[in-house]
Amino acid sequence: MKVHFSINWSKTGFYNSGKRDLTINWNNGEGFPREGEAINIPKFIGGNYQSDETFMHNNIELNVFDWVENTTGWEVEMVKWDHHQGTTFLHILVGDKG
């Protein structure tokens, strides 16, 4: 089943606010995330970072997804079932807890 993630993060002193849309095939045997649950977004990104999702800190290049995961964490804000052109899919809105 296709799961669409809309991932949003807030501006900090290290990076600007941003958004990433991601679609994955959810067939890992786990249940679907629910509103209010913590979720490990770097697991789904899999190291595929865009230039505006990385930043320098203490002369080390880091990415927003791991930074948020290791500091404030990611949280499922909304889960919505949707249907488009004959395909049912799940849309999940995720935000940083910061």
Side-chain angles (χ1 to χ4, degrees), residues 3-6 21 78-82 89-93:
V3 177
H4 299 280
F5 287 91
S6 292
D21 290 315
M78 182 193 72
V79 176
K80 180 176 98 172
W81 288 96
D82 210 342
F89 64 90
L90 188 61
H91 182 88
I92 301 173
L93 177 64

Side-chain angles (χ1 to χ4, degrees), residues 28-42:
N28 57 12
E30 296 177 25
F32 296 115
R34 293 178 291 177
E35 289 181 21
E37 286 185 333
I39 188 167
N40 184 343
I41 291 300

